[in-house]
Amino acid sequence: MFSKACEYGIRAAVYIALQSLDGRRVSVNEIAEEIDSPIAFTAKILQQLSRNNIIHSVKGPTGGFQIAREDMDAVKLNMIVKAIDGDKIYVGCGLGLKECNAQKPCPLHDKFVDIRTDLSKMLKSTSLFELATGLEVGLTYLKR
Amino acid sequence: MFSKACEYGIRAAVYIALQSLDGRRVSVNEIAEEIDSPIAFTAKILQQLSRNNIIHSVKGPTGGFQIAREDMDAVKLNMIVKAIDGDKIYVGCGLGLKECNAQKPCPLHDKFVDIRTDLSKMLKSTSLFELATGLEVGLTYLKR
DNA sequence: CATTAATCGGACAAAAATGTCCTTTATTTG
DNA sequence: CAAATAAAGGACATTTTTGTCCGATTAATG
Ligand code: FES
Ligand code: FES
């Protein structure tokens, strides 16, 4: 569904949001530890998110990553997915034709578009804040 | 969503079904031509489908691939996906945790499971015959 | 101002997915 | 039986994704 990079990216963003709720700024090392991901690879992904203004980074001692409270509401999952995986899950054909096209649809088009539309709606409507709150009360987990 | 191999596998199976409706047995070369896929790679995928009894292969002159009319109803998409991509789309966690687990869910679990369940139902209920008939009447396409 | 701690960015490495080539095996046909 | 045809299967090549390493840059602190 999502690439590994995107999975790490979402988990990382949720963790940063959670910590930012407590006013804590977090380092790559801490993030990788807490979401159980490869450190250097995670750093690369965080750079992408930072360049796309999805998270905020601060260099130097006491530096790290954080997300402003308002941004946790504004940042929806689809923004993270788009920043990392591009728009292939939104425009791609389920059976691999060049692009999805209702004029010359593949045999699975109608059924595939239904699913994809649901997925897209879900991603567009789910905010980082929403995901972080489940974590906060111990209902959900970012690693096992 | 699906791997390239799986996409080719589904397109190939639909094409074989379509031709089998006319009593024609088709070669790898013809299949690859008609679904616009790499020949040798497609051959590998057809072997997998054949070993999983999803399509039937015949060696030698006049040989090729075919699917019995009954099997076109019996073979659902989920069987092809499972044969090629395994069950990761059925048991995997959307955020990449080891496996999806409602006891210790990731923050996206509930929403992800909804989508995945719809996808799973769709794949389990869609037969090869159904996909082939759309092609037959010129409503859908396997290449562009 | 020197040290230190942190991200940034580029080059590289490893693994997995995708794709190719060639030999073997089975089967039909002359 | 010999020749030709088509799938089967193994080895190899390429590309993409995933992951690592290290020097450069930025900023805080004594
Ligand atoms: S054309 Fe294949 S999903 Fe739309
Ligand atoms: S635990 Fe992540 S999707 Fe179920």
Side-chain angles (χ1 to χ4, degrees):
Chain A
M1 188 79 86
F2 307 125
S3 68
K4 277 288 164 202
C6 194
E7 292 174 353
Y8 295 147
I10 295 173
R11 302 222 302 271
V14 173
Y15 181 74
I16 295 166
L18 175 69
Q19 294 306 317
S20 290
L21 285 173
D22 290 347
R24 295 192 60 235
R25 191 183 278 165
V26 289
S27 70
V28 176
N29 288 274
E30 174 178 340
I31 295 169
E33 168 67 26
E34 293 299 323
I35 71 173
D36 191 23
S37 66
I39 299 179
F41 192 44
T42 303
K44 282 290 189 300
I45 298 161
L46 292 173
Q47 283 178 38
Q48 286 187 266
L49 295 182
S50 181
R51 277 195 293 264
N52 282 275
N53 300 305
I54 289 168
I55 60 180
H56 180 65
S57 77
V58 178
K59 280 183 164 187
T62 79
F65 297 90
Q66 65 190 47
I67 305 179
R69 177 64 187 81
E70 322 82 87
D71 294 344
M72 293 181 206
D73 289 318
V75 171
K76 312 292 186 186
L77 280 191
N78 75 304
M79 297 167 65
I80 299 180
V81 173
K82 198 156 203 168
I84 299 176
D85 282 351
D87 57 7
K88 64 179 180 311
I89 87 162
Y90 302 106
V91 306
C93 162
L95 295 190
L97 303 191
K98 305 293 180 228
E99 74 278 306
C100 176
N101 174 348
Q103 256 51 57
K104 266 195 138 181
C106 72
L108 202 58
H109 177 82
D110 288 355
K111 295 180 176 204
F112 185 78
V113 166
D114 282 351
I115 307 279
R116 194 180 52 191
T117 301
D118 286 348
L119 174 61
S120 179
K121 277 184 190 159
M122 185 272 273
L123 295 176
K124 280 198 178 74
S125 65
T126 303
S127 70
L128 269 189
F129 179 75
E130 185 180 348
L131 297 182
T133 49
L135 255 193
E136 201 177 20
V137 298
L139 281 177
T140 62
Y141 302 82
L142 288 175
K143 68 169 179 180
R144 286 198 217 98
Chain B
M1 186 79 87
F2 308 126
S3 68
K4 277 288 164 202
C6 194
E7 292 175 352
Y8 295 147
I10 295 173
R11 302 221 303 271
V14 173
Y15 181 73
I16 295 167
L18 175 68
Q19 295 305 317
S20 291
L21 284 174
D22 289 347
R24 295 190 62 233
R25 193 181 275 164
V26 289
S27 70
V28 177
N29 288 275
E30 175 178 339
I31 295 169
E33 169 67 26
E34 294 299 322
I35 71 173
D36 192 22
S37 67
I39 300 179
F41 192 44
T42 304
K44 284 288 191 287
I45 297 160
L46 292 172
Q47 284 178 37
Q48 285 186 267
L49 294 181
S50 182
R51 278 195 292 265
N52 282 275
N53 299 307
I54 288 168
I55 61 180
H56 182 246
S57 76
V58 177
K59 279 183 166 184
T62 80
F65 296 90
Q66 66 190 45
I67 304 179
R69 176 64 186 79
E70 321 81 86
D71 293 344
M72 294 181 207
D73 289 318
V75 171
K76 313 291 186 188
L77 280 190
N78 76 304
M79 296 166 66
I80 298 181
V81 173
K82 199 155 203 168
I84 299 176
D85 282 351
D87 57 7
K88 65 179 168 338
I89 85 162
Y90 303 106
V91 306
C93 162
L95 294 190
L97 303 191
K98 303 295 181 228
E99 75 277 305
C100 176
N101 175 347
Q103 256 52 57
K104 266 194 139 181
C106 73
L108 202 59
H109 178 82
D110 289 355
K111 295 179 176 204
F112 185 78
V113 166
D114 283 351
I115 307 277
R116 195 179 53 191
T117 301
D118 287 348
L119 174 62
S120 179
K121 277 183 189 158
M122 186 272 272
L123 294 176
K124 279 198 177 75
S125 65
T126 303
S127 71
L128 228 36
F129 179 74
E130 185 180 349
L131 296 183
T133 50
L135 254 193
E136 202 177 19
V137 299
L139 281 178
T140 62
Y141 303 81
L142 288 175
K143 68 169 176 179
R144 285 197 219 101

